[in-house]
Amino acid sequence: MIAPGGTDVAEGVLARPLAATSLLDAVRDLARDVARTGFPLEIPGVDKARASRERLVDQLSDHLVPRLEELSAPAIVVVAGSTGAGKSTLVNSLLGAEVTAAGVLRPTTRRPVLAHHPDDADLLAHHPVLESVEVVAHERVPRGIALLDAPDLDSVLESNRASAHRLLEAADLWLFVTTAARYGDALPWQVLQGAVDRGASIAMVLNRVAPASLPTVRGDLLERLRTYGLQGAPLFVVPDVGPHEGQLAAPVVAPIMRWLTMLAGPDRARTVIGRTLRGSLGALRPWVDELAEAVQAQADAATVLAAELDMAVDAPEQRARAAVHGGAVADGAARARWTELTTAGAPLAGVVRPSGRVRGSRRSGRSRSEALAPLVRDVTSSAAANLAAAGAYAEQSMRIHLSGIEAPAGGPSLDAAWPAEGRVESRARTAHEAATGWAATSNEIARAALVRAGEAGDPVRSARETARAVRRAARAERALGEDGLAAVALAGAAGVEGARAMLTDLLGAAGTWACDELRDQLAERAAAQVAHERASAAEVLDQPDLADDAASLLRLRLAVLKGLT
């Protein structure tokens, strides 16, 4: 056995009974906020950030918080290592009893086992690690420590690997077991590097070493330990006893048992706990800072994606406006209906004389208004279809921008998170509501046009001209009625040139104004439909983890922690 390199007198938190409440509160707040942190966007480095977050959650909730809550609880000694290293056999041999399963079948350790002295039960009762382990009370466990036999770090079962890493985060001391044949494997050293980074206390057991190779193997292992900054770590050597079943002989594991007994003493246990606790608290600073940077990267990516969405809907918005102003709404049923209504003998035939005067007719304005109801339905339906098409084009454009070859970081994940199911139906409803609302405004526009047509707003207009304008507006209202005028205005706004010409003949410049006003309103609604699609995509970005100041809370928690440690 190579003895520990001196003692480390616990200072800081262990110098104060039960730790300062402010420090415990700060760690609890940090644990809560880290647990709430998410990384919704798939951007470079996100897998590393998620894994780091999970490890930090485990470190805070399974080690730091419970340790600060109960500093007098036994030191958790996690026995860890790769498959077949002999962890369970070592634990059983130390205690002289079969407390954990050991054998040739792999993976051997399925449910972790924590062994403690019966008199330490109350001090461990509320430790969160107890939720995932089998607890065994045994007199041979020295008071002041608890031995935890962890699953294999390289287990074929993912759940075992995850459990092993989580339990290591809960440890006050790592007792790392390896063999002469496998001590050079990459995985154990990666895990040990993580332990060094977070300031954990570490001891090593080199198992199954043939006497002939002991000097070479031990020398190489010591050099590796120095390379990883572990030159002061205790190193125990267990000789190869050849094929055997059951426990190792007591003299073989006696040095380890003596060390554990010494370690369990109040001062030594507090030294180990204090060293690991201070190391873990110190390691939080770069750890949390790195996590905050990853959160900020998510917020920055969200900003870029929002700008990309704005860019993606620019062309669809212009196209939607151009389609309305180009008369696309009149194509199809609306124009066909107008032709039907203006043929010889139809309700609108001959309403305006060639001279431009309103022709007298036996038809009342009311009857013509009723006859024009199908025209309103056709124009409204066509407007709804055009609005829906504008929305569909906007969605298509945004998805191309999010998932194309030149998509910004996080674009594909935003595209995947933006629900596609039900969008056609939702868009159709929105477009129908917008078109119906637009059509409903036509009556208000028609009334305003009648007022414009008959008012004497021009100061240079003569009284005779004013009277003529009033009579003209009255004849137009009698000929078609307010609803009929509104229907013709809708058709003119949709792009039916005959309707626009008729309304101009009936109301003069006021008729032209009515068509233009309704057309502008429909163009705005088309742009609003595109904006609605843009907002639907942006809803995925509207979450706290992607806010501009998302990283500020973690940095605030870190600043508080720095001030206390």
Side-chain angles (χ1 to χ4, degrees):
M1 165 185 167
I2 297 176
T7 60
D8 187 355
V9 180
E11 298 175 353
V13 294
L14 284 180
R16 294 168 284 179
L18 295 181
T21 302
S22 56
L23 177 58
L24 175 57
D25 290 341
V27 174
R28 281 174 174 162
D29 290 342
L30 178 62
R32 182 192 63 240
D33 293 333
V34 169
R36 290 175 179 174
T37 300
F39 298 92
L41 296 177
E42 300 293 335
I43 61 176
V46 70
D47 290 338
K48 179 182 176 182
R50 287 169 180 158
S52 180
R53 171 196 167 278
E54 291 305 315
R55 282 191 59 221
L56 182 53
V57 168
D58 291 341
Q59 169 71 180
L60 291 165
S61 60
D62 291 341
H63 177 235
L64 285 171
V65 170
R67 177 51 68 194
L68 288 171
E69 287 177 337
E70 186 54 84
L71 287 170
S72 59
I76 304 294
V77 180
V78 174
V79 183
S82 302
T83 301
K87 302 181 298 297
S88 299
T89 298
L90 178 63
V91 171
N92 291 337
S93 301
L94 289 169
L95 302 184
E98 297 292 324
V99 298
T100 181
V104 296
L105 296 179
R106 304 299 172 197
T108 297
T109 307
R110 292 184 178 272
R111 183 165 175 79
V113 175
L114 182 141
H116 65 83
H117 192 279
D119 293 341
D120 283 338
D122 290 343
L123 292 173
L124 284 168
H126 302 293
H127 200 294
V129 78
L130 299 188
E131 299 173 2
S132 56
V133 302
E134 180 181 344
V135 181
V136 176
H138 197 282
E139 295 283 350
R140 288 287 301 274
V141 181
R143 284 209 65 184
I145 67 170
L147 287 176
L148 203 165
D149 182 19
D152 301 331
L153 290 168
D154 58 351
S155 172
V156 296
L157 298 179
E158 183 180 354
S159 59
N160 273 3
R161 297 196 301 272
S163 176
H165 284 279
R166 181 190 173 194
L167 294 174
L168 284 171
E169 296 298 343
D172 294 300
L173 171 67
W174 292 23
L175 186 57
F176 202 88
V177 183
T178 187
T179 66
R182 299 197 59 185
Y183 74 90
D185 291 354
L187 177 61
W189 293 101
Q190 291 174 6
V191 175
L192 286 170
Q193 183 62 63
V196 172
D197 291 343
R198 80 164 179 82
S201 297
I202 299 170
M204 293 201 68
V205 176
L206 181 60
N207 197 12
R208 304 192 192 112
V209 184
S213 62
L214 175 58
T216 301
V217 172
R218 183 170 58 181
D220 187 39
L221 181 55
L222 286 171
E223 182 59 35
R224 287 175 180 266
L225 289 172
R226 280 192 290 270
T227 301
Y228 281 81
L230 293 171
Q231 60 270 19
L235 173 61
F236 302 92
V237 177
V238 177
D240 187 358
V241 298
H244 74 285
E245 292 184 5
Q247 304 166 26
L248 299 170
V252 174
V253 296
I256 304 174
M257 191 63 191
R258 284 195 298 271
W259 177 72
L260 288 173
T261 302
M262 179 182 65
L263 183 71
D267 292 339
R268 294 303 302 271
R270 286 170 63 84
T271 297
V272 171
I273 291 171
R275 181 189 304 123
T276 300
L277 187 56
R278 290 197 312 278
S280 297
L281 288 169
L284 285 181
R285 299 175 185 179
W287 201 346
V288 176
D289 194 52
E290 182 180 341
L291 197 67
E293 289 296 325
V295 172
Q296 187 60 53
Q298 290 274 314
D300 293 343
T303 300
V304 172
L305 287 170
E308 189 72 17
L309 292 176
D310 289 337
M311 187 186 308
V313 297
D314 184 58
E317 179 184 342
Q318 294 181 27
R319 175 172 161 172
R321 290 179 181 275
V324 171
H325 285 291
V329 177
D331 294 340
R335 188 168 279 115
R337 182 73 69 179
W338 179 261
T339 300
E340 176 187 323
L341 290 169
T342 55
T343 57
L348 294 183
V351 171
V352 181
R353 296 175 184 271
S355 63
R357 292 175 60 85
V358 177
R359 187 190 298 273
S361 172
R362 294 180 180 178
R363 286 182 178 271
S364 66
R366 181 176 181 180
S367 66
R368 282 200 175 102
S369 294
E370 293 172 351
L372 290 174
L375 176 64
V376 174
R377 289 195 296 270
D378 289 340
V379 171
T380 303
S381 177
S382 181
N386 274 267
L387 294 179
Y393 180 55
E395 179 187 357
Q396 180 187 37
S397 177
M398 284 187 284
R399 291 196 184 278
I400 290 173
H401 275 251
L402 293 175
S403 58
I405 297 177
E406 298 182 357
S413 56
L414 173 56
D415 180 34
W418 180 19
E421 185 177 356
R423 291 217 54 75
V424 174
E425 295 80 3
S426 174
R427 182 182 301 122
R429 286 193 300 270
T430 303
H432 174 74
E433 291 170 0
T436 302
W438 169 69
T441 66
S442 62
N443 283 82
E444 180 182 346
I445 297 297
R447 287 194 296 272
L450 284 170
V451 172
R452 280 173 173 258
E455 69 184 0
D458 189 345
V460 300
R461 177 183 286 182
S462 66
R464 182 177 179 182
E465 288 174 333
T466 300
R468 185 184 301 127
V470 171
R471 291 194 299 271
R472 182 180 190 180
R475 285 196 299 270
E477 186 172 11
R478 284 196 303 272
L480 294 180
E482 186 179 296
D483 290 343
L485 289 170
V488 174
L490 276 179
V496 178
E497 291 304 321
R500 180 185 179 89
M502 178 179 289
L503 203 63
T504 301
D505 287 339
L506 289 172
L507 299 177
T512 304
W513 168 84
C515 291
D516 290 343
E517 180 67 18
L518 281 169
R519 182 174 291 183
D520 289 344
Q521 287 188 12
L522 184 57
E524 289 300 320
R525 289 174 186 264
Q529 186 76 20
V530 172
H532 178 75
E533 297 292 332
R534 164 70 175 81
S536 173
E539 286 178 2
V540 184
L541 298 176
D542 187 18
Q543 48 185 301
D545 289 323
L546 298 178
D548 291 339
D549 60 348
S552 61
L553 185 57
L554 287 179
R555 292 195 170 109
L556 173 62
R557 299 301 181 205
L558 183 59
V560 172
L561 198 61
K562 285 180 178 178
L564 294 171
T565 57

